[in-house]
Amino acid sequence: MAKVFIYPVNSLILADLVERFGHKPLAVMNQVREKVTNISLDSPPVNITPEDPKVGLRYAAVEVPAGVRGRMSLIGPLIEDAEAAIIVEAPPVNFGCVGCNRTNELMRYLVRSKDIPILELRYPDSEENAPEFVYKIKAFLESLPREEEK
Amino acid sequence: MSEEAGIVKIALVSCGSEYSGVQPEFEAAATEVNAKFVYPEIDVAGLDNIGREFGLEVASGDLRLMMARAKAVVEGTTHVDGVFITTCFRCAEGAIVRNEVRRYIHKHSNIPVISYSFTERTTAGTLLTRLEALTTVARRRHLLAREAQTGLTAGIDSGSTTTKAVVMRDNEIIGSGWVPTTKVLESAEEAYSLALKEAGVPREEIQALGTTGYGRFLIGKHFNAQLIQEEITVNSKGAVYLADCQTGPATVIDIGGMDNKAISVDDGIPGMFTMGGICAGASGRFFEMISKRLGVDITELGALAVKGVQENVTMNSYCIVFGIQSLVNSLAKGAIPEDVAAAACYSVVEQIFEQQLQEVDVKEPLILVGGSSLIEGVPKALGDLLKIDVLVPKNSHLIGAVGAALLASGYVEE
């Protein structure tokens, strides 16, 4: 079983696919499970304190907006943990979105900087292309080492 | 207004303030002014195209959410009494959307709007005055419609640097007091006593009292004031009253001892407003320090400035420390005090222009108030920069106290 970072990091569909193929999705939902509310796109945590953006300084400098650093305080540790990653480019908002594109750019950069297997693919632009999208993810997940192989 | 008794519903239109650790501070400030944040309902599927619809295509989902929520407010899908638009400080994409969403709501509705850029260090205290002003416009529009002072009333403005008091009778100022703020209550007592003495009326005869400024809660409680009100609504009311511009649009700039306000006013009611600045370099405090270094009284600084040429001295008052450094350097290079004084005035108004006037629509007449408006170089520099005539009404330094006395007269009839 590999720990697979998913992008968008709150995509339920990607998290479900990773789980179905026997791996552990590294999704932000796990980070915010304790306390959530529905005021933004991705059910953000309400228990983020001013200390969290300071934790985010590990990933982005102080001149980077507090919202990016606050998000990175949750997402950064997931990237550090990742053994593989799936990046879906240009998805619609309801596929998953953390709301801030600067955070998205930083997340993708940090993932690409790691020496791990990464699948990058575009979100399908039509229903006909959807099966191909799922097959590619399936093949990638099947290529990752399972528990016994590790 | 909201059906829930007295509670003002404010739409929070933000780029994800909950991720910055400031959401509890926002909530605390709202609770303090008996308001609550609501989040306008939107169709998530519509977010992919809202940018094209709005005319501003941005990459961040939460910024598109801001546009969708603004649209829901304007179209009345969600009924609110005011809108608080906020994005992260230092985010260019956020700043563009914040400004355009603010303009969009202002253009398409009469709902009062404030905008603010936050850091993780933003506190409830910082937001309190802004939210208090927003809720006042929503809650007490009838009070703000008052155009003439009636009866015998008084107003006290407990500012960060000076405390001002006035006594008014039948639409005339009959007594005033202006003292430096040291101990908040003692200074208020002194200014009020001076005003009463000049008016020749005993304190018991005052029919209603209004307080404003930083110390408004403390002195309001002490003097048993009928009206305790933040300075944005009070000062805009006082400004249009003193300048005799109570109908139609106006812009009020108040350069205070510690911060500045730029307020877009329509029929005496504040619409958009900003409170700055980031550093005291753009406030009255900077003029105090400049005067001290030049060895002149602050009342002489203005006359000195109008004789000088600001272009001869480079001054950066973005930060008060750098501003003083510029001052020391220029004097060391042989600059004359007149030029330094002129540069100081220009530096302050330039900062107000760059940081605050971008967030309100400047409409004439432009009324300059606050103690710094008495420094002649300041209205001159502002007029030169904006290429418009700047109006400094008589008693412009008493603006808060006059506004408080005027609004307090609403309680005489009640």
Side-chain angles (χ1 to χ4, degrees):
Chain A
M1 182 187 71
K3 293 176 186 169
V4 183
F5 181 82
I6 55 169
Y7 176 91
V9 72
N10 57 353
S11 170
L12 289 170
I13 295 171
L14 275 183
D16 183 55
L17 274 171
V18 171
E19 244 171 1
R20 277 173 192 237
F21 287 94
H23 299 290
K24 185 184 175 191
L26 296 174
V28 81
M29 291 80 83
N30 303 330
Q31 305 291 91
V32 300
R33 192 166 281 162
E34 284 177 22
K35 284 185 182 180
V36 296
T37 180
N38 286 317
I39 59 178
S40 189
L41 284 173
D42 55 341
S43 300
V46 292
N47 55 348
I48 283 209
T49 70
E51 291 305 308
D52 292 284
K54 290 180 194 162
V55 173
L57 285 170
R58 184 176 164 87
Y59 310 100
V62 73
E63 66 263 27
V64 175
V68 175
R69 286 183 282 116
R71 285 174 172 91
M72 287 310 295
S73 70
L74 294 172
I75 299 163
L78 296 177
I79 298 173
E80 286 182 27
D81 253 11
E83 295 164 339
I86 300 172
I87 294 175
V88 176
E89 293 286 1
V93 164
N94 53 15
F95 184 71
C97 176
V98 294
C100 169
N101 205 47
R102 299 292 88 77
T103 311
N104 289 342
E105 288 158 1
L106 184 57
M107 264 193 288
R108 290 196 303 258
Y109 168 71
L110 291 175
V111 169
R112 286 168 185 151
S113 305
K114 285 191 68 146
D115 188 19
I116 55 172
I118 302 171
L119 172 69
E120 296 204 37
L121 69 175
R122 279 191 79 80
Y123 187 83
D125 51 12
S126 66
E127 253 183 59
E128 295 82 67
N129 294 335
E132 179 68 14
F133 173 76
V134 178
Y135 292 147
K136 279 183 182 165
I137 294 172
K138 177 175 177 280
F140 176 73
L141 290 169
E142 283 175 345
S143 74
L144 298 175
R146 297 196 174 270
E147 189 74 23
E148 56 274 21
E149 293 166 35
K150 281 169 80 185
Chain B
M1 186 129 65
S2 163
E3 285 175 16
E4 284 175 70
I7 291 183
V8 173
K9 281 164 68 178
I10 301 173
L12 181 59
V13 176
S14 93
C15 67
S17 44
E18 58 281 354
Y19 277 113
S20 303
V22 293
Q23 192 67 25
E25 299 294 324
F26 285 8
E27 301 285 348
T31 306
E32 188 88 0
V33 296
N34 200 21
K36 76 170 180 185
F37 287 123
V38 295
Y39 304 91
E41 292 279 332
I42 55 106
D43 176 13
V44 173
L47 289 179
D48 291 317
N49 297 317
I50 186 75
R52 189 156 294 174
E53 202 181 312
F54 201 86
L56 181 60
E57 292 176 81
V58 291
S60 294
D62 271 345
L63 296 178
R64 281 182 259 145
L65 179 65
M66 286 174 69
M67 295 180 208
R69 284 187 167 153
K71 194 163 166 266
V73 166
V74 164
E75 289 176 353
T77 316
T78 301
H79 174 76
V80 294
D81 306 306
V83 184
F84 181 42
I85 305 172
T86 186
T87 59
C88 287
F89 180 58
R90 297 195 198 98
C91 176
E93 193 186 29
I96 291 169
V97 173
R98 191 179 75 238
N99 271 330
E100 295 317 316
V101 163
R102 176 180 54 71
R103 285 203 182 99
Y104 168 80
I105 296 174
H106 192 67
K107 185 178 173 189
H108 297 287
S109 77
N110 289 320
I111 302 168
V113 182
I114 52 169
S115 76
Y116 188 74
S117 59
F118 59 82
T119 72
E120 68 267 36
R121 294 179 189 274
T122 297
T123 62
T126 315
L127 298 169
L128 188 61
T129 301
R130 294 168 174 87
L131 286 181
E132 196 185 340
L134 186 67
T135 55
T136 300
V137 176
R139 188 183 274 143
R140 300 163 114 176
R141 217 167 242 272
H142 65 286
L143 186 71
L144 299 177
R146 171 163 294 275
E147 290 190 357
Q149 185 273 345
T150 51
L152 180 64
T153 64
I156 307 174
D157 177 3
S158 174
S160 61
T161 308
T162 59
T163 301
K164 288 77 65 180
V166 297
V167 174
M168 294 181 75
R169 179 187 274 146
D170 300 334
N171 221 19
E172 295 281 338
I173 298 169
I174 58 169
S176 66
W178 187 22
V179 301
T181 304
T182 48
K183 289 181 180 170
V184 172
L185 276 178
E186 284 175 23
S187 302
E189 187 67 54
E190 192 186 343
Y192 192 22
S193 299
L194 284 171
L196 287 165
K197 191 176 171 195
E198 191 183 314
V201 294
R203 193 171 293 193
E204 314 76 74
E205 285 185 18
I206 297 294
Q207 293 170 289
L209 172 71
T211 62
T212 189
Y214 282 92
R216 63 188 178 278
F217 293 111
L218 185 69
I219 62 167
K221 196 176 169 198
H222 176 76
F223 291 109
N224 220 1
Q226 282 73 19
L227 176 83
I228 300 172
Q229 192 66 56
E230 42 60 46
E231 51 271 32
I232 292 166
T233 39
V234 170
N235 289 11
S236 44
K237 197 67 207 171
V240 295
Y241 170 78
L242 284 178
D244 199 18
C245 303
Q246 301 214 54
T247 50
T251 307
V252 176
I253 296 180
D254 177 8
I255 306 179
M258 211 163 78
D259 60 29
N260 306 317
K261 294 142 205 108
I263 313 161
S264 173
V265 182
D266 206 2
D267 290 339
I269 295 173
M272 288 182 279
F273 59 85
T274 63
M275 268 180 88
I278 288 169
C279 178
S283 70
R285 186 80 70 197
F286 184 63
F287 291 127
E288 277 182 16
M289 294 185 71
I290 292 282
S291 309
K292 202 172 164 189
R293 185 64 183 76
L294 293 177
V296 297
D297 190 82
I298 193 161
T299 54
E300 299 164 31
L301 187 69
L304 207 59
V306 291
K307 287 185 213 151
V309 179
Q310 63 90 6
E311 287 89 349
N312 291 346
V313 173
T314 306
M315 189 167 289
N316 169 11
S317 78
Y318 183 76
C319 164
I320 202 161
V321 177
F322 294 148
I324 299 299
Q325 271 180 1
S326 306
L327 166 80
V328 171
N329 287 341
S330 52
L331 287 174
K333 284 180 193 162
I336 59 169
E338 287 83 351
D339 290 350
V340 170
C345 293
Y346 192 82
S347 174
V348 167
V349 301
E350 190 177 40
Q351 200 181 134
I352 291 170
F353 171 71
E354 286 175 3
Q355 293 184 21
Q356 297 192 268
L357 294 182
Q358 308 305 316
E359 301 225 354
V360 299
D361 290 336
V362 177
K363 288 180 184 162
E364 293 190 70
L366 180 69
I367 309 166
L368 182 64
V369 293
S372 302
S373 65
L374 299 180
I375 300 170
E376 296 102 306
V378 177
K380 180 181 178 296
L382 190 58
D384 290 348
L385 188 72
L386 296 176
K387 309 276 183 275
I388 56 176
D389 290 332
V390 175
L391 194 57
V392 180
K394 196 179 166 197
N395 294 315
S396 61
H397 61 300
L398 300 174
I399 201 82
V402 170
L406 169 68
L407 294 176
S409 69
Y411 291 84
V412 174
E413 288 161 0
E414 281 175 19

